[in-house]
Amino acid sequence: MQGGPKEPKLQGASLRLAQWLRQPAHLVEAVVLLGVFAASTVIRIHFAAFLDPFEDGYQNWWISANLVQTGQYWDRHSMMTQGNWLPLYHFFAAAVLEMGGLQSMDALKDANIALSGLTALAVFLVSRERGRTIALAATGFFSFNFIDIVVSGWATAETLASLLVLVGYAMLFQTTRLTTNRIWIGSAAFALAVMTRYEAWLIVCLMTIYVVLIGSVRPRRPLLLALLPAIVLMVGYFVYSSQWGFLPSIVIRQTSTDIQYQLSVGTQPTPTTLLTRWWTGYASFFPLVLLLGGVYAVWTVKRDFGAWIVLSLWAFIVLYTVVQFGNPSYRYVVISVPFLSIFGAVGLVDALRALRGPRRFGFRSAQQTTAIACFALVLVGLTLLPSSAAFWGPGFPASVAMEPLERAGIYTSTLPLPAGKILISESPIAAYFSGYPPDRILGSRWLPDNRSQALTFLKTNVGYVIYMGVPYYRLRSLFPELQNGTSTPDFALLFDAGGIQAGTHAIFVFRVMP
């Protein structure tokens, strides 16, 4: 077999890399960067091993695993594929499961950790043109940010959306010359992003306004053309989802379901209380980076669209909570973390420049590079690492409420599923740990909304039921006697997973009697 012209090119690239690494400053830069990647990956893997504090990741597994097994794209649990959740992550996760195994939640988490690593690399490349000091600091700020550490260890869509939005931003705004390749890559990134998370819809809409109103920053026509595919996909999905209703109403109805119930029984905290808790936690995770990055975002709002992304996501969280469409979550602002990391590094260096006066702030020797890199890493350790250290051993307090669901699934895995029968599970976590094929598990939301019809369906098609005593869930609404945790003529109690004892909802496993 002939080597052809590729071998000299590879040899030339290897030679250039070796020459680059022979320079002490570059070698230090590479060592620090690899150290940041390695340490932050270990931390992410550690936290990913904890049980999730909510069920969305396992519901994503259920959707994607069913897609792999049956070729059908629908949510067997609670209809979230009918407008509530966008499809791209589920197809990405299906590809991961195809390679990693159908029952492998670890494969999904590892894939998201890899995506977070790519985002860290993108942060480094985006900020490298500002200097190695800023690039290393920004990469460290992002890599050790507790919000991204935790979120990247869940099988949810935010990590993929963050990478796509950052790549799109970098291609279209972090350059002095918009080339055709950059426009194509940026356009593709935003088109994929709007099929991943609705936050990307907000960003694309704001970007369109930004380009039109502040056209002097970048040429309007190529930027608008780059956004056109994303806009077409948004409009297309809006029309497609109309078969289930008006898209905003679909999303709001789902996100506000629990809040409306809590309001009806008088247990919902006020928006002020929720936002105070949220902002207190948010600021505690990366106080100095948030301060520097936030100030820099406000300062550059007229000339850097990244500032619009950060500020708009903050405004969204406040409005979303005040109008009681849902409770605030750090997941909803994780897209802002790479931008705040870059802005925080730039703000830090600008502050140091101001302290040094008009003299140019440059680090050209290996010793100076090492010094500033160490300074940035110490800063990261002081402001970011305490959050990871605080949760290192005990994990997430909210995960305690999920443990009865895990126990219910593990118990159910010991029960052979009768031929021709399925499992009804009101919990995606329990469904996953049952080990049953995803197409032989169904959520109770798909049961007929009539007791006699639902009972007929259960006796005909269902072997076991994993009951979750949420007041507005279908099984409790149709069969309130199950909440007592005792056998009935139609249901034999097999296992109490200890939900009530754990301070959460009743979690029981029943056999459906013939």
Side-chain angles (χ1 to χ4, degrees):
M1 183 173 63
Q2 295 180 351
K6 290 185 178 180
E7 288 185 1
K9 291 182 179 179
L10 290 174
Q11 292 173 357
S14 299
L15 181 61
R16 287 193 297 272
L17 178 61
Q19 292 174 341
W20 187 85
L21 289 174
R22 286 195 187 100
Q23 300 181 43
H26 292 163
L27 180 60
V28 170
E29 180 181 3
V31 170
V32 172
L33 185 63
L34 290 175
V36 168
F37 284 162
S40 61
T41 299
V42 170
I43 294 173
R44 280 166 168 75
I45 292 173
H46 173 81
F47 281 100
F50 290 133
L51 181 65
D52 293 5
F54 62 104
E55 296 205 79
D56 287 8
Y58 291 87
Q59 190 168 349
N60 283 329
W61 162 82
W62 196 350
I63 294 168
S64 299
N66 183 70
L67 177 60
V68 172
Q69 190 165 53
T70 68
Q72 298 175 341
Y73 179 64
W74 64 292
D75 180 14
R76 299 180 65 89
H77 178 250
S78 60
M79 310 178 189
M80 293 298 284
T81 52
Q82 296 183 359
N84 287 290
W85 285 348
L86 293 163
L88 182 62
Y89 178 75
H90 297 132
F91 284 85
F92 167 79
V96 172
L97 292 175
E98 185 73 48
M99 294 182 291
L102 204 60
Q103 294 290 137
S104 182
M105 177 61 70
D106 288 342
L108 295 181
K109 293 186 173 190
D110 291 345
N112 266 14
I113 291 173
L115 290 176
S116 181
L118 290 175
T119 306
L121 179 60
V123 167
F124 177 80
L125 295 175
V126 167
S127 52
R128 183 60 180 84
E129 64 182 25
R130 302 172 187 253
R132 66 174 63 94
T133 300
I134 290 175
L136 290 173
T139 306
F141 292 162
F142 171 79
S143 297
F144 294 104
N145 186 291
F146 189 63
I147 295 175
D148 192 82
I149 285 173
V150 173
V151 173
S152 65
W154 296 334
T156 57
E158 292 83 8
T159 302
L160 176 59
S162 296
L163 174 61
L164 293 171
V165 169
L166 180 61
V167 169
Y169 163 84
M171 290 297 104
L172 299 182
F173 290 94
Q174 292 295 295
T175 179
T176 56
R177 180 171 171 266
L178 268 178
T179 64
T180 302
N181 287 340
R182 279 183 165 270
I183 292 174
W184 276 106
I185 296 173
S187 179
F190 279 115
L192 294 173
V194 298
M195 288 288 99
T196 306
R197 288 287 299 181
Y198 282 114
E199 292 93 330
W201 289 37
L202 170 64
I203 291 168
V204 167
C205 290
L206 288 175
M207 189 178 297
T208 304
I209 296 172
Y210 177 85
V211 170
V212 171
L213 294 182
I214 312 181
S216 59
V217 177
R218 285 283 186 273
R220 285 194 183 98
R221 188 170 180 274
L223 287 177
L224 292 175
L225 287 175
L227 293 177
L228 185 59
I231 294 171
V232 170
L233 285 173
M234 289 162 59
V235 173
Y237 191 81
F238 196 99
V239 173
Y240 167 76
S241 65
S242 64
Q243 62 184 299
W244 302 298
F246 184 56
L247 183 57
S249 298
I250 293 172
V251 176
I252 293 170
R253 183 168 59 250
Q254 187 276 328
T255 58
S256 64
T257 296
D258 189 67
I259 285 183
Q260 295 307 313
Y261 170 75
Q262 299 295 341
L263 287 171
S264 69
V265 298
T267 56
Q268 175 68 14
T270 65
T272 301
T273 300
L274 290 171
L275 286 171
T276 300
R277 293 174 185 169
W278 188 88
W279 280 103
T280 300
Y282 185 65
S284 70
F285 294 142
F286 58 133
L288 186 55
V289 176
L290 176 63
L291 174 63
L292 293 168
V295 170
Y296 187 86
V298 172
W299 185 258
T300 61
V301 70
K302 290 185 177 181
R303 63 177 188 271
D304 192 330
F305 181 72
W308 284 47
I309 293 175
V310 171
L311 299 176
S312 65
L313 290 175
W314 288 350
F316 164 75
I317 278 291
V318 173
L319 180 63
Y320 178 77
T321 307
V322 168
V323 298
Q324 297 183 319
F325 286 166
N327 292 321
S329 170
Y330 303 121
R331 291 169 57 197
Y332 304 153
V333 295
V334 76
I335 291 176
S336 70
V337 172
F339 295 92
L340 284 169
S341 301
I342 296 170
F343 294 163
V346 175
L348 171 62
V349 173
D350 283 353
L352 291 174
R353 280 175 176 164
L355 290 175
R356 289 172 65 90
R359 188 155 50 104
R360 184 178 179 182
F361 189 65
F363 298 92
R364 297 182 179 179
S365 70
Q367 293 80 6
Q368 288 175 316
T369 302
T370 302
I372 195 63
C374 289
F375 172 78
L377 291 174
V378 168
L379 181 63
V380 168
L382 291 175
T383 62
L384 301 176
L385 294 183
S387 296
S388 296
F391 292 95
W392 187 264
F396 313 121
S399 295
V400 174
M402 303 295 111
E403 290 174 359
L405 303 174
E406 181 183 22
R407 288 195 292 269
I410 292 173
Y411 173 82
T412 305
S413 70
T414 66
L415 305 173
L417 194 59
K421 300 287 187 176
I422 65 171
L423 166 71
I424 291 288
S425 177
E426 294 192 301
S427 161
I429 288 180
Y432 173 78
F433 283 102
S434 75
Y436 291 170
D439 64 337
R440 296 191 68 187
I441 316 172
L442 193 67
S444 64
R445 283 282 297 273
W446 295 99
L447 291 175
D449 193 14
N450 174 277
R451 180 183 171 98
S452 61
Q453 293 177 1
L455 188 58
T456 299
F457 178 89
L458 289 168
K459 288 181 176 293
T460 304
N461 301 289
V462 178
Y464 306 106
V465 164
I466 298 178
Y467 169 88
M468 189 174 181
V470 178
Y472 48 84
Y473 277 17
R474 187 64 55 86
L475 283 175
R476 183 166 179 179
S477 300
L478 294 174
F479 308 100
E481 66 273 17
L482 296 181
Q483 181 66 16
N484 298 326
T486 58
S487 296
T488 73
D490 301 311
F491 302 92
L493 178 67
L494 299 178
F495 181 66
D496 180 351
I500 294 176
Q501 294 88 330
T504 183
H505 304 288
I507 309 296
F508 303 127
V509 179
F510 291 96
R511 174 185 286 114
V512 180
M513 303 302 291

